[in-house]
Amino acid sequence: MNIESGNVLNKAPRNRINPYLEAAVLVARRLRWDIIPLSWKSRKKIKKWRNQYQGKKAIILCNGPSLNKVDFELLDNASIFTFGLNKINLLFDKTDFRPSCIVAVNKLVMEQNRDFYNTTELPLFLQDIGKKWIKNRKNTCFLNACSIPKLFARDCSMSINLGSTVTYVAMQLAFHMGFSNIALVGCDHDFNTKGPGGKKTKAEGEDQNHFDSRYFSDGVQWHLPDLAASEMHYEIAKNVYKHYGKKIFNCTEGGKLEIFERMSLLDFINNV
């Protein structure tokens, strides 16, 4: 089930789990995507990214408050591939730095940020539900999400797994592209706003949970994070990378994520 969508909390649990029904629903959802031309075009696009960066390193720019501590001039000079997430464009009025691509899978994020997504020339990797608000252009890849938990797509041309966080999707895309070593920055893994993971809530005042106070603010809706489910999927990503001789590092300044080996961003750029 798509944890990020908040559906977990909006439905009463069934008395029984019927595996045939679950399988039928999964197949039906997939067929609804496969029969439209957009799915074929998107699959062709994502296949072109496969192993294009074999053996290289990349940085995933998460959206916690500590992202403001990152030296973006250092990133520009290092010429390392970077994955921007969700509303990373709120950073653009503070720096000339631009990520190599942007990943977004949450429907509220895509709906709220659609004006930017429909005009930017940066490569976009978006969950297919975003097609409701975002035009299909040369720079846009729509990704189908498989709802079976605990999966990791090493090849993203068929489906990706949401893993309760867009960071997990970026990790799968990085593997798909062939990167060997990945660094996380801005992954604070800590939110002031508390509540059940996946619950849709209304923002009050300025946002204290992200790198920009405008991120979710002044009454817009957003989904509360599921930190436990995120950690479970981070462990999966860590083990998949390790199995194939790759590694994920946490280069965030501070924060509460301790699953990945800690390292300074400067050390990652110069010594990994």
Side-chain angles (χ1 to χ4, degrees):
M1 185 170 288
N2 180 349
I3 297 174
E4 255 191 291
S5 72
N7 290 340
V8 170
L9 298 175
N10 294 335
K11 293 182 179 179
R14 295 193 295 267
N15 291 329
R16 293 181 299 172
I17 297 176
N18 184 331
Y20 299 103
L21 178 60
E22 296 294 331
V25 170
L26 187 65
V27 171
R29 287 175 179 169
R30 178 69 202 195
L31 287 174
R32 281 200 298 268
W33 169 244
D34 282 342
I35 62 175
I36 62 174
L38 179 60
S39 69
W40 317 334
K41 295 175 182 177
S42 289
R43 196 175 304 168
K44 185 177 181 181
K45 290 178 187 177
I46 188 65
K47 283 182 177 179
K48 291 181 179 180
W49 289 86
R50 180 73 167 150
N51 290 327
Q52 287 296 308
Y53 298 91
Q54 193 76 31
K56 297 185 181 297
K57 54 190 173 184
I59 298 170
I60 298 175
L61 307 173
C62 303
N63 290 175
S66 67
L67 187 65
N68 290 314
K69 299 178 182 179
V70 171
D71 183 347
F72 288 101
E73 185 176 350
L74 174 68
L75 291 188
D76 260 339
N77 293 335
S79 298
I80 293 177
F81 192 100
T82 54
F83 292 83
L85 306 183
N86 289 342
K87 298 184 181 181
I88 189 67
N89 52 295
L90 294 177
L91 190 74
F92 293 177
D93 58 1
K94 305 171 187 176
T95 176
D96 291 331
F97 168 83
R98 297 294 182 267
S100 307
C101 69
I102 297 177
V103 186
V105 293
N106 182 279
K107 63 181 181 181
L108 295 179
V109 168
M110 289 187 284
E111 181 180 9
Q112 293 163 13
N113 211 31
R114 58 186 171 183
D115 288 345
F116 170 75
Y117 294 146
N118 278 319
T119 55
T120 183
E121 297 302 319
L122 293 171
L124 298 174
F125 296 93
L126 309 173
Q127 190 186 354
D128 56 5
I129 59 174
K131 67 183 184 295
K132 181 177 180 180
W133 307 284
I134 299 154
K135 296 176 291 187
N136 180 39
R137 298 184 294 141
K138 288 192 300 184
N139 63 319
T140 306
C141 287
F142 287 103
L143 307 169
N144 179 260
C146 178
S147 59
I148 300 175
K150 301 183 181 180
L151 298 180
F152 184 97
R154 292 180 286 115
D155 180 340
C156 297
S157 60
M158 180 66 74
S159 290
I160 48 94
N161 188 277
L162 297 180
S164 302
T165 170
V166 66
T167 307
Y168 189 68
V169 177
M171 291 173 177
Q172 293 167 81
L173 286 167
F175 199 108
H176 174 92
M177 295 179 189
F179 292 105
S180 291
N181 292 299
I182 305 298
L184 305 179
V185 296
C187 193
D188 295 64
H189 198 63
D190 184 30
F191 286 74
N192 293 328
T193 307
K194 308 298 182 184
K199 180 182 179 181
K200 185 186 291 186
T201 188
K202 185 176 291 187
E204 297 180 2
E206 295 185 343
D207 191 337
Q208 303 298 319
N209 299 300
H210 296 89
F211 69 89
D212 193 288
S213 61
R214 300 167 293 175
Y215 202 98
F216 293 126
S217 62
D218 298 329
V220 302
Q221 291 185 319
W222 66 297
H223 292 126
L224 296 180
D226 190 334
L227 298 182
S230 296
E231 289 178 6
M232 177 184 71
H233 286 93
Y234 286 155
E235 286 282 3
I236 293 170
K238 176 182 178 180
N239 291 333
V240 171
Y241 269 73
K242 181 179 179 180
H243 181 80
Y244 290 94
K246 303 170 184 278
K247 194 165 184 178
I248 301 172
F249 297 88
N250 185 3
C251 298
T252 300
E253 288 196 39
K256 295 185 178 180
L257 181 63
E258 302 300 341
I259 290 172
F260 306 106
E261 179 182 334
R262 291 270 189 173
M263 177 179 287
S264 73
L265 181 58
L266 186 62
D267 281 345
F268 177 81
I269 291 173
N270 293 331
N271 301 320
V272 173

